[in-house]
Amino acid sequence: MNPESVKNSQNISPAIRVGVLGFGGLGQAAAKVLAGKREMILVAVADQKGFAYAAEGLDIKECIATYQSQGSVGYLEPVGTLTNNSIQDLIDTQQPVDGYFLALPNLPNDFIPSVAKQFIAAAWQGVLVDAIKRTSAVEQLLGMKEELQAAGITYMTGCGATPGLLTAAAALAAQSYAEIHKVEITFGVGIANWEAYRATVREDIGHMPGYSVEAARAMSDAEVEALLDKTNGVLTLENMEHADDIMLEVAGIVGRDRVTVGGVVDTRNPKKPLSTNVKVTGRTFEGKISTHTFTLGDETSMAANVCGPAFGYLKAGQQLHQRSIYGIFTAAEIMPQFVK
Ligand code: NAD
């Protein structure tokens, strides 16, 4: 019995066939998360230099070992293909994939929207999920709503940790109030070395005073290291341009000017420098002012808090797609579904 039929025999509906685009820190963590699931099966992976596809499911350990030793899953025999145009070439194979998690750098700031356009142009139909961070990037995607609808794509945006899990928690917490006054997100991230999450760290540098997305993108690895040396590996971020604001505004919960996001990233220590939390302050119908606080467990990693929700939203998106509900939805509008 092949792995897919083993999975399927335990389910009424067949396993959701998942592709992961981008196989860096988050992409590899996403694959590891899927290894423990029976409702989803990893069939496709793409990185900058190639892709791999296997209808019966990819061997996750082999994918990671090949990527780490040779730099691309394209080297994986016999399922890999080496190409500098991996996303387009993977789509062009027309192999069946129900949904993709876009664990890609959003550098430049319109990269992920441009990937969504590739899927539309190819007449691909299914679910796309991102963990994109910037408000301006989510705005571009929201502007593609009608194109996505017409294409038969159900696009779930902002579905990582922040935006994502914490934005959804804020949407839920808001229910106690008649009026929302502010939403404050503070995140703590601890990673052992910055090379494991190059795009995340570069994009965070883009939020620092005096930097931009373009400036961070243009920095060499040596320049990133020199900057981190100056700060002892710690990045402190305030008033970030984070899409939690637009997502909560579009969901009709609170104006974007009332949402703030900041955090501390330690790139030299897996221990979190502070506990990630969201505080939602409002007034109840009785006139009481109060604050709900939702705090993530310190033992949960960034990868766990991004990849878990991403697949929860992929499953929710798949249910919408099966009901012919297409277009674009944010993590603040839809409840994620738990993936078994
Ligand atoms: P990374 O740098 O570790 O890996 C990026 C991967 O993308 C690499 O495998 C690379 O080969 C691949 N890639 C780059 N260009 C490509 C292309 N043109 N075609 C195919 N593959 C390509 O990245 P990371 O640190 O894992 O971050 C991924 C994304 O996740 C970032 O955009 C980051 O902002 C986002 N993120 C979101 C949250 C959240 O809570 N919402 C948290 C952390 C990270």
Side-chain angles (χ1 to χ4, degrees):
M1 218 188 240
N2 71 29
E4 191 177 31
S5 54
V6 170
K7 286 191 171 200
N8 292 351
S9 66
Q10 297 161 350
N11 277 313
I12 301 154
S13 46
I16 300 171
R17 294 162 298 190
V18 174
V20 171
L21 303 183
F23 209 53
L26 282 186
Q28 291 171 52
K32 288 184 197 162
V33 166
L34 287 182
K37 303 289 186 189
R38 52 190 159 82
E39 289 184 334
M40 288 189 176
I41 172 173
L42 182 68
V43 296
V45 166
D47 58 50
Q48 203 162 14
K49 296 267 177 287
F51 70 88
Y53 180 88
E56 72 284 6
L58 288 163
D59 184 318
I60 287 160
K61 280 194 184 139
E62 270 183 19
C63 286
I64 293 175
T66 305
Y67 183 86
Q68 288 183 353
S69 60
Q70 290 172 274
S72 174
V73 292
Y75 287 102
L76 202 63
E77 292 286 354
V79 292
T81 303
L82 287 164
T83 159
N84 288 325
N85 205 13
S86 63
I87 297 174
Q88 188 65 54
D89 291 352
L90 171 59
I91 300 171
D92 289 346
T93 63
Q94 297 192 359
Q95 296 285 1
V97 177
D98 298 307
Y100 283 97
F101 172 34
L102 279 47
L104 293 163
N106 195 37
L107 297 168
N109 199 35
D110 63 354
F111 180 63
I112 288 182
S114 78
V115 170
K117 289 201 170 94
Q118 281 177 272
F119 279 97
I120 294 170
W124 180 85
Q125 294 199 333
V127 183
L128 299 175
V129 179
D130 70 40
I132 207 162
K133 295 209 273 201
R134 288 209 173 237
T135 307
S136 48
V138 168
E139 272 172 326
Q140 292 172 44
L141 287 160
L142 293 175
M144 290 166 60
K145 181 179 178 179
E146 275 154 29
E147 274 174 87
L148 290 162
Q149 239 160 11
I153 292 173
T154 306
Y155 195 109
M156 314 295 287
T157 191
C159 298
T162 168
L165 183 59
L166 297 172
T167 338
L172 196 58
Q175 303 300 325
S176 299
Y177 304 119
E179 185 179 80
I180 316 303
H181 294 165
K182 58 180 174 180
V183 175
E184 292 169 276
I185 292 173
T186 310
F187 63 81
V189 168
I191 49 180
N193 58 81
W194 87 275
E195 290 93 341
Y197 293 96
R198 282 172 209 262
T200 302
V201 172
R202 272 208 176 76
E203 289 179 36
D204 282 341
I205 291 172
H207 288 275
M208 290 170 61
Y211 290 85
S212 63
V213 178
E214 274 317 304
R217 181 184 179 214
M219 283 170 83
S220 66
D221 285 1
E223 285 169 329
V224 172
E225 267 153 39
L227 170 69
L228 293 173
D229 276 341
K230 279 198 234 158
T231 63
N232 205 16
V234 176
L235 300 174
T236 303
L237 305 153
E238 284 169 359
N239 284 321
M240 300 170 79
E241 185 216 307
H242 242 237
D244 308 79
D245 62 358
I246 189 173
M247 289 162 61
L248 290 166
E249 184 173 283
V250 168
I253 293 165
V254 66
R256 66 178 85 182
D257 53 321
R258 305 259 177 143
V259 182
T260 57
V261 181
V264 179
V265 181
D266 190 342
T267 61
R268 294 184 181 166
N269 188 348
K271 192 172 178 294
K272 281 189 195 185
L274 56 89
S275 301
T276 297
N277 67 85
V278 52
K279 290 188 184 344
V280 182
T281 302
R283 181 181 51 77
T284 68
F285 74 101
E286 305 105 325
K288 300 270 190 228
I289 309 288
S290 188
T291 300
H292 282 330
T293 304
F294 174 72
T295 306
L296 303 186
D298 286 342
E299 302 77 11
T300 60
S301 60
M302 174 177 80
N305 292 319
V306 171
C307 299
F311 290 125
Y313 282 104
L314 199 157
K315 183 173 169 183
Q318 165 80 356
Q319 291 173 358
L320 295 175
H321 195 264
Q322 279 169 343
R323 290 155 55 198
S324 306
I325 299 172
Y326 312 132
I328 184 159
F329 303 91
T330 81
E333 289 175 272
I334 304 286
M335 187 66 95
Q337 298 295 308
F338 191 77
V339 184
K340 293 194 282 276

